[in-house]
Amino acid sequence: MGSLFRKIPIFVINLDRRRDRMEAMHRRLKGLSYERFSAVDGARCSLVKEQVESFNNTVYPMSPNEFACILSHLKLCEHIIKAGLPYACILE
């Protein structure tokens, strides 16, 4: 891989309960440095369910998992901004 790819911070969003997906991503990213970022789990987070119910009344129906995915990305974007990174690669 070119040196450019070694300089771009790579983050992998992954559910804690899906180690199999993280292992598959680890094989795909062989030789690259990356940071795992814990995803918001829509199936296990009551706050997500409450937010989805509120959101569904104002915009359009969304599942808890879809909403959790959005929250995961927002949480990671906030982390990237706080870290002062000018760019990053976000994978799932």
Side-chain angles (χ1 to χ4, degrees):
M1 294 254 163
S3 61
L4 175 63
F5 290 107
R6 297 193 187 281
K7 295 178 183 177
I8 298 173
I10 300 172
F11 295 92
V12 178
I13 298 174
N14 175 249
L15 288 167
D16 293 340
R17 62 186 164 92
R18 292 305 307 261
R19 291 186 186 136
D20 58 320
R21 289 184 182 174
M22 192 64 237
E23 290 168 6
M25 187 60 77
H26 180 72
R27 287 191 299 274
R28 290 184 185 115
L29 296 174
K30 185 178 181 180
L32 295 176
S33 178
Y34 65 89
E35 181 179 336
R36 181 189 173 277
F37 202 82
S38 184
V40 176
D41 193 337
R44 297 185 177 173
C45 181
S46 61
L47 178 61
V48 169
K49 292 175 186 173
E50 292 170 16
Q51 289 173 318
V52 168
E53 289 173 13
S54 173
F55 191 76
N56 284 346
N57 291 332
T58 59
V59 183
Y60 66 90
M62 186 180 294
S63 75
N65 290 339
E66 290 170 318
F67 198 77
C69 183
I70 292 169
L71 291 176
S72 297
H73 281 265
L74 289 174
K75 187 172 115 176
L76 178 51
C77 287
E78 186 177 76
H79 171 77
I80 290 167
I81 291 167
K82 284 182 180 176
L85 299 173
Y87 47 79
C89 176
I90 300 174
L91 305 173
E92 289 185 29

